Amino acid sequence: MSASLSSPAEARSGKGHHDENFPVASHLIHPRHRPAILAFYHFVRAGDDVADHAELSPERKIVLLDRLADALTGQGPSDPEAEPLKAELAARGLPPRHALELLDAFRMDARKSRYATWDDLIGYCRLSAMPVGRYVLDVHGEDPAVVWGPSDAICAALQILNHLQDCGKDFRSLDRVYIPQESLDRHGVRIEALGAAKASPALRAVIRELAERTLGLLDEGAVLPDLIRDTRLSLEIAAIHRLAVVLTKGLTSRDPLSEKVHHGKAAFALTALCGVTTTLLRRPFREKILRAHALRMAGPGVRP
């Protein structure tokens, strides 16, 4: 029986980093950093597969997630899903904080399937998405005081974008709804509408409203590539940001229940290239952009 799974490895879905909606440690990333990012991804993927396993009870999911956490921190037996990340963290002198926050998000998924407000959803993203960006930035030695804020906005947007694209599948297969109840209520939509083959006009209005709020997050994080010292990471994030903007704009007019939101490989590559090219062209002006950003963060009363 699936409920008797004895290790996180047995819950594996088979999904890998090449199957994700956005690039994970693409070859834009310097080779010295890719193993650390992929080790993080594979650890998090193991936890996500546990949380999404349709036949595991919530209690059993928590046990397996706790086992992953204890293996990573050394408070429990070794686990092959945790050892690569544990070794990378030790080699770089990094704490396990970000990975453990992801496990907290998966524990939430095991226990919770509905969100009342946008703020509740952002609270979930603080555990399920923001630590991912922070970890990648920490691996590259970037300054948290400069980059964590806009990174958090982008990561939350990516998470919500995925929720909107998968809203029908999540409801049908996991009875999990990330769309805030307040948004559904505002448009008079019942949760069961997510199980339809095609979104109603009212549900389309809900998705459009949330997509527009997500575009606001992406706008908030748009400065991030210019703030990052590492050029290769800057270009990676620029590509991801551009893809996210295009896909989120698509959700303002497409129905994720009946239409494909993602583009084909050629369009995907072209969109990413546009983000990379734009950032490269701005790179010579990075110091000026940094000064302007610092002034904005300091407040309206500050003058050059």
Side-chain angles (χ1 to χ4, degrees):
M1 292 177 59
S2 295
S4 65
L5 294 182
S6 60
S7 72
E10 295 177 63
R12 279 292 203 170
S13 65
K15 186 176 181 180
H17 68 282
H18 293 298
D19 302 310
E20 297 295 337
N21 291 331
F22 296 97
V24 177
S26 80
H27 289 288
L28 282 172
I29 298 293
H30 195 285
R32 71 175 176 271
H33 296 311
R34 294 186 76 241
I37 296 172
L38 289 174
F40 185 86
Y41 171 82
H42 291 305
F43 177 82
V44 170
R45 179 78 259 160
D48 200 11
D49 285 345
V50 168
D52 288 350
H53 201 289
E55 297 177 28
L56 286 173
S57 69
E59 295 76 19
R60 189 59 188 163
K61 290 178 181 180
I62 300 299
V63 168
L64 295 178
L65 292 169
D66 288 348
R67 189 168 298 171
L68 278 173
D70 290 345
L72 185 64
T73 59
Q75 297 178 6
S78 172
D79 189 293
E81 304 291 347
E83 287 306 309
L85 178 58
K86 186 177 180 182
E88 289 289 345
L89 294 175
R92 293 168 179 267
L94 293 173
R97 168 187 173 184
H98 302 312
L100 295 178
E101 287 176 334
L102 266 294
L103 294 183
D104 283 339
F106 301 145
R107 292 186 185 96
M108 283 184 67
D109 283 333
R111 299 186 178 109
K112 183 174 180 175
S113 59
R114 302 289 188 272
Y115 291 83
T117 67
W118 173 265
D119 287 343
D120 287 344
L121 182 57
I122 294 297
Y124 172 74
C125 291
R126 288 194 180 96
L127 295 175
S128 68
M130 296 179 190
V132 177
R134 292 182 176 194
Y135 173 79
V136 172
L137 292 163
D138 287 357
V139 163
H140 284 78
E142 299 290 333
D143 183 354
V146 174
V147 296
W148 274 16
S151 172
D152 288 350
I154 290 176
C155 288
L158 296 177
Q159 180 75 86
I160 295 168
L161 172 57
N162 283 336
H163 290 332
L164 294 176
Q165 290 181 110
D166 296 339
C167 61
K169 182 179 70 174
D170 286 341
F171 175 70
R172 290 189 298 270
S173 62
L174 298 169
D175 189 31
R176 194 180 290 161
V177 179
Y178 294 103
I179 292 177
Q181 186 64 49
E182 66 177 4
S183 298
L184 296 169
D185 291 344
R186 186 158 43 248
H187 294 274
V189 178
R190 293 175 59 85
I191 281 177
E192 291 74 18
L194 292 167
K198 185 176 181 179
S200 66
L203 180 55
R204 290 282 295 273
V206 171
I207 293 167
R208 183 164 54 251
E209 172 189 293
L210 296 173
E212 287 168 353
R213 295 193 76 167
T214 304
L215 285 171
L217 290 171
L218 289 168
D219 185 59
E220 183 182 336
V223 71
L224 180 60
D226 297 321
L227 303 180
I228 291 172
R229 291 190 300 261
D230 186 288
T231 299
R232 295 177 69 141
L233 177 61
S234 171
L235 300 181
E236 172 98 338
I237 292 176
I240 291 171
H241 182 269
R242 183 58 187 162
L243 287 165
V245 169
V246 170
L247 291 174
T248 306
K249 286 182 177 178
L251 277 170
T252 64
S253 59
R254 292 193 186 97
D255 170 15
L257 299 190
S258 62
E259 297 178 80
K260 185 178 180 181
V261 178
H262 264 276
H263 300 298
K265 288 184 178 180
F268 182 94
L270 182 60
T271 301
L273 182 60
C274 288
V276 167
T277 302
T278 301
T279 298
L280 271 177
L281 291 173
R282 285 201 307 267
R283 204 68 182 166
F285 310 102
R286 179 172 176 270
E287 291 303 321
K288 184 177 180 180
I289 294 170
L290 279 171
R291 288 194 296 271
H293 177 72
L295 288 172
R296 283 197 301 273
M297 294 300 99
V302 178
R303 292 289 183 268

